[in-house]
Amino acid sequence: MNESRAAVRYAKAVLDLAVENKATEQVEKDFRSILSTITGSTELQEMLGSPVLKGELKKKALSEIFKGSDSVTEGLISTLVDNKRISILNDVAEKFIILNEARKGQGVAMVTTAVPLSGELEKKILSKVVQLTGNESTIENKVDESIIGGFILRVGDLQYDASIANKLSNLKREFTNSL
């Protein structure tokens, strides 16, 4: 919870700076790249979360991986490393995208599934999100095999968890409480 609040604060600060520098589109593009790169690489996730690796090594690796990023993005990475918060980079990127889409009058629906969404299913989810929120939205699909099946839909601060892993967890809790 605490890391999530910190990620929102960093994302808001970066959004303000990006708006001031008229670089919101480039920074959003950078953050989409960061989000997909970190989500797709368990090695990178482990490196960012490792307390053993020195901050300078992490900063050097990230600047090499995300070479050509906007100065606002590079500044955020540097600040997160200096503040020993680089492990929340992925969360900051996600929150920034959500905040920037909301600023533009669009929403981002984050859909986590065990397998990639098909085009037809993505259209159905998108129309349902627009119907529920009344805002234009885009879908960001995250693949996480640990949810086993089903999906987790997050739009802004709202989350609907229809994953098999969640249902199994609830079933386990019910059995434990009934003993």
Side-chain angles (χ1 to χ4, degrees), residues 108-129 138-144 147 149-154 162:
V108 176
M110 301 295 280
V111 181
T112 305
T113 54
V115 294
L117 286 175
S118 67
E120 183 182 322
L121 189 56
E122 192 171 312
K123 287 179 186 174
K124 284 182 180 178
I125 291 172
L126 192 56
S127 68
K128 195 66 171 173
V129 168
T138 57
I139 288 191
E140 193 78 28
N141 183 217
K142 245 197 269 190
V143 177
D144 181 1
I147 69 168
F151 65 93
I152 301 170
L153 174 66
R154 188 177 338 172

Side-chain angles (χ1 to χ4, degrees), residues 155-168:
V155 181
D157 292 341
L158 303 173
Q159 179 171 312
Y160 178 71
D161 191 341
S163 64
I164 302 296
N166 183 49
K167 290 180 180 175
L168 288 172

Side-chain angles (χ1 to χ4, degrees), residues 10-160:
Y10 278 107
K12 284 180 179 177
V14 170
L15 180 61
D16 289 344
L17 189 59
V19 167
E20 185 178 305
N21 291 340
K22 295 177 178 51
T24 54
E25 294 305 313
Q26 180 59 41
V27 173
E28 182 176 340
K29 186 176 150 200
D30 293 346
F31 281 155
R32 287 187 187 279
S33 170
I34 288 170
L35 195 59
S36 65
T37 303
I38 293 174
T39 302
S41 172
T42 54
E43 294 88 4
L44 187 55
Q45 292 171 16
E46 290 171 3
M47 190 259 310
L48 292 176
S50 173
V52 177
L53 294 174
K54 296 211 180 296
E56 286 304 312
L57 183 64
K58 291 178 185 181
K59 191 185 295 188
K60 191 174 185 179
L62 288 170
S63 66
E64 197 60 38
I65 293 169
F66 301 114
K67 187 176 258 177
S69 295
D70 191 84
S71 60
V72 173
T73 307
E74 291 173 357
L76 170 73
I77 291 171
S78 179
T79 301
L80 288 174
V81 169
D82 294 344
N83 294 344
K84 297 182 181 7
R85 292 287 205 146
I86 195 62
S87 61
I88 66 169
L89 177 61
N90 203 34
D91 293 335
V92 173
E94 186 178 318
K95 304 292 186 211
F96 176 89
I97 292 167
I98 291 169
L99 289 170
N100 194 40
E101 292 290 333
R103 184 185 70 80
K104 293 188 295 188
Q106 296 177 319
V108 176
M110 301 295 280
V111 181
T112 305
T113 54
V115 294
L117 286 175
S118 67
E120 183 182 322
L121 189 56
E122 192 171 312
K123 287 179 186 174
K124 284 182 180 178
I125 291 172
L126 192 56
S127 68
K128 195 66 171 173
V129 168
V130 170
Q131 181 184 356
L132 291 172
T133 62
N135 294 332
E136 283 295 314
S137 295
T138 57
I139 288 191
E140 193 78 28
N141 183 217
K142 245 197 269 190
V143 177
D144 181 1
E145 294 173 358
S146 70
I147 69 168
I148 304 170
F151 65 93
I152 301 170
L153 174 66
R154 188 177 338 172
V155 181
D157 292 341
L158 303 173
Q159 179 171 312
Y160 178 71

